[in-house]
Amino acid sequence: MAEIKTVSIIGLGALGILFGNHLSKKMPEGNLRIIADRKRIERYEKNGVYCNGERCSFHYVTPEEIVEPADLLIFTVKFNGLEDAIQAVKHHVGPNTIILSALNGISSEEIIGSTYGMDKILFCVAQGMDAVKAGNRLTYDHMGMLCFGEKEPGLFSEKMKRVARFFDKAGFPYEADTNMMKRLWGKFMLNVGVNQTVAVYKSNYGEIQKEGPAREMMIAAMREVMALSEKEGFPLGEEDLRYWLKVVGALSPGGKPSMVQDVEAKRYSEVGLFSGTVIELGKKYGVPVPVNEELYRRIREIESTYAVAD
């Protein structure tokens, strides 16, 4: 199989800018393509997109443009934009394209795979970044990394090797994980705890790094995911909880997860992807999830004021 030479990214949120900015400096111009509709491209070109104060140099293509399929396609959209994004990337997917989805939650890979084939998918999580996006400007201290792997445990497949070789060459932080589904569930547990708790407290990472009610709430929400992970066949234990709490501890205290940024901007959040999923799985397995029910209620309550405030 050929080496990865062309990369397409869809979604210029925090992760899209973070990854795109890094790769744009390591790849020949035109080999990295940012997919966006005409209106967005005009806005990006007029106002610029900035990463840590520096204007990004991006090559944009519209969904309609006929291009050579990408060797690597990365989804960095919000979950509510996934269906549109799947349609928008159709010219970028060929027989040998590898697809990574950096979306939160545990369902985006299967959704993308149902259109383009699970054989193209590597399961993936983005972790350890503390990027904050305000308008067209992104700031971060920690770039974090992408972790990827196959659904079946123990595999270090040719697809994984191709991505690893490319990331090595591009100096892009990554981990190739041979127990990827456990990692995916671990990241889901982290998001369910961190994003929602910090959003409800309208605070930052510092709030959950110290002892107190917010941290207790976060850990209780995470434990509910642990109970469900066992039922789903990817059991998370105390060691996993300690690992992810360490990840939380390393984040910049003033940083904020995307859900808080949504609340501050009065945008509807991904709560359905987090406690919404937990509540559904709780019903499916008869597992009580009171903390996530409370988080869901409180975030929906915050969101219910948006229309009035606008």
Side-chain angles (χ1 to χ4, degrees), residues 124-194:
C124 173
V125 302
Q127 70 179 64
M129 53 280 301
D130 54 12
V132 174
K133 182 171 175 268
N136 59 343
R137 291 176 182 270
L138 179 89
T139 51
Y140 71 91
D141 291 324
H142 303 285
M143 185 175 169
M145 63 174 168
L146 276 182
C147 309
F148 57 84
E150 298 284 0
K151 189 171 189 176
E152 298 76 29
L155 282 186
F156 192 48
S157 65
E158 190 49 47
K159 283 206 302 274
M160 288 169 71
K161 287 173 189 162
R162 277 176 75 199
V163 175
R165 283 195 298 269
F166 170 71
F167 282 165
D168 279 334
K169 208 169 153 186
F172 191 95
Y174 75 91
E175 198 173 305
D177 196 331
T178 55
N179 195 357
M180 191 59 215
M181 294 309 286
K182 192 167 185 177
R183 169 92 61 161
L184 196 74
W185 268 86
K187 174 72 193 303
F188 178 60
M189 172 175 75
L190 178 83
N191 283 144
V192 163
V194 174

Side-chain angles (χ1 to χ4, degrees), residues 44 123 158 185 208 275:
Y44 297 149
F123 283 75
E158 190 49 47
W185 268 86
I208 48 165
S275 47

Side-chain angles (χ1 to χ4, degrees), residues 10 88 94 103 118 135 176 207 209 215 282 294 303:
I10 185 156
L103 274 73
M118 289 306 294
E207 185 77 41
Q209 288 169 336
R215 187 175 173 86
E294 167 77 356
E303 292 179 349

